[in-house]
Amino acid sequence: MEQSLQMNLSQHLAMTFEMQQAIKILQLSAQDLRSLVEQEYLDNPTLEMEYGAGAESKEDIFSVEDISALADYLYEGGGEPAYFTDDVDHGLEAAAPLGLTLEQELLQQVEFAFAPEDEAGRSIATFMVGSIDSRGYLTLPVEEIARATGTKVEQVLAVLERVQAFEPLGVGARDLAECLRIQAKAQGIYEGLVAAVIDKHLSLVAELGIREIAAAEKASPEDVQLAVDIVKTLNPKPGSTYGTENASYITPDVTIEKVDGGYEVRLNDSYVPKLHITNLYRQAASFDDDTQKYIKKRLSAATWLINSIEQRRETIRKVVEELVRVQREFLDKGPAYLKPLTMKEVAEAIEVHESTVSRAVANKYAEIPGGLMPLKGFFQTGLGKAGSGEDFLASQAKAELERLIKGEDPRKPLSDQKLCELLKAKDMDISRRTVMKYREQLGYPSSVKRKRY
């Protein structure tokens, strides 16, 4: 048996915690970054947070350029500091902004609608609010509410009538018909064919049985169509306009604005508080050893956090400016002019890795002259090849599909097969199934349901 000792030299890339932090921060949306910044401010006493344009105390605030000097002071000669110790949890899971829930909104109205001395009414209303689901519907029978609150059914019905007058209109309804009826009465339109449609023909409305309703009510299809259109303006789920406690809201990370014939990219920095290093380091020499170690760790964390946020900002700006340069026609003329573009092409143009571009556009939105759109929407790949061999974009097909549907005769709407044929006539060779998928994505029902009388 022979033993030997061998030495192998290998090279590999170790991703430090700091690198992971920078990557994760790049992926965060504006609202998630705000949540992270606010949490880090609470956790790290060396950080100072500033909302708005000006800081409260210029003496206590230092720019990003000052950070290295601060580190040198406390690290005794500098060197790249470690980030956080293992015993401190600084995960990047940012909580979404809290929204006012339907229950919170209704409980506030209970406070105003029922006097403090009306304990029974308040008790019933509060219990009732807790029994209303996310759609805005009351999920328990009034008899069960009466038993649970130790009151009479008549009292519950009286309270229910008051709750059904709350905002949003239709809340507290026990079924769809009652929900629509409450809204129609409040708007003064609960009469004639509108009332008949709500009370007797909602199942036919779902199937667009206009002629059946007309026959049952001895009315013309045109009059029934008008009544159905009015009923459709009512909200079948009044509670859906409210969020849950974990609801998040889209905040655009960038604004692309047309200025003097060109486009200006502006990062929406005002939404995210600014972080600065405080003057805590000035007193560091007078602290005991444990305190100095603690401050060193926190200054290290603050340094990396601020640098990562600044790096995120610069990367997003470069990516979006390149998107604007390539997709100028799209911004000028609309979706039909969106060019084929890959993340690899953008990465090569701004000299970064493709994965960096992917992270920079993830979970982020841009406010453009036409509205709000995800940054990923600037990238398009071919949907197939027409007879000429040219690549056509899905967005072009959708734009043409929407144009055809908007221009159709509502009395004779175009079938998916006909739409397919019309698209092929424009060298957009896609299947009927794909036409159906795009139509549904655009929010248009089938030709049978689009038919008007």
Side-chain angles (χ1 to χ4, degrees), residues 277-306:
I277 301 294
T278 71
N279 70 344
L280 183 62
Y281 84 100
R282 297 180 190 273
Q283 293 82 29
S286 63
F287 295 149
D288 58 43
D289 290 344
D290 289 341
T291 303
Q292 287 195 43
K293 289 179 181 178
Y294 174 79
I295 294 174
K296 287 179 183 180
K297 293 175 185 176
R298 293 310 190 180
L299 275 173
S300 171
T303 300
W304 282 100
L305 179 62
I306 293 175

Side-chain angles (χ1 to χ4, degrees), residues 21-168:
Q21 179 207 31
I23 288 172
K24 289 181 179 179
I25 284 179
L26 181 59
Q27 294 177 145
L28 293 179
S29 63
Q31 58 264 46
D32 286 343
L33 180 60
R34 175 185 174 121
S35 297
L36 171 67
V37 166
E38 291 174 340
Q39 186 60 51
E40 291 298 330
Y41 165 71
L42 294 175
D43 291 343
N44 193 333
T46 69
L47 284 171
E48 186 164 281
M49 188 170 67
E50 169 198 348
Y51 288 95
E56 293 181 4
S57 175
K58 295 296 182 184
E59 293 182 355
D60 294 344
I61 294 174
F62 297 83
S63 66
V64 174
E65 290 76 18
D66 293 325
I67 295 175
S68 296
L70 304 185
D72 287 343
Y73 177 87
L74 287 171
Y75 294 111
E76 300 174 348
E80 181 175 287
Y83 186 54
F84 293 119
T85 56
D86 292 338
D87 59 339
V88 181
D89 180 13
H90 283 274
L92 296 178
E93 294 296 328
L98 297 183
L100 191 65
T101 66
L102 177 64
E103 183 176 15
Q104 291 168 337
E105 170 68 23
L106 295 177
L107 288 176
Q108 286 184 7
Q109 294 181 66
V110 168
E111 291 295 315
F112 286 102
F114 295 86
E117 56 270 19
D118 185 7
E119 294 182 6
R122 278 194 172 219
S123 176
I124 295 171
T126 301
F127 185 89
M128 196 174 286
V129 166
S131 304
I132 290 176
D133 65 16
S134 60
R135 302 171 303 160
Y137 286 77
L138 183 64
T139 59
L140 292 179
V142 292
E143 293 80 8
E144 189 170 336
I145 295 175
R147 283 196 298 272
T149 56
T151 56
K152 296 180 179 180
V153 171
E154 291 77 11
Q155 288 178 280
V156 175
L157 288 172
V159 171
L160 178 59
E161 185 176 356
R162 296 174 70 177
V163 169
Q164 288 180 344
F166 287 179
E167 293 289 340

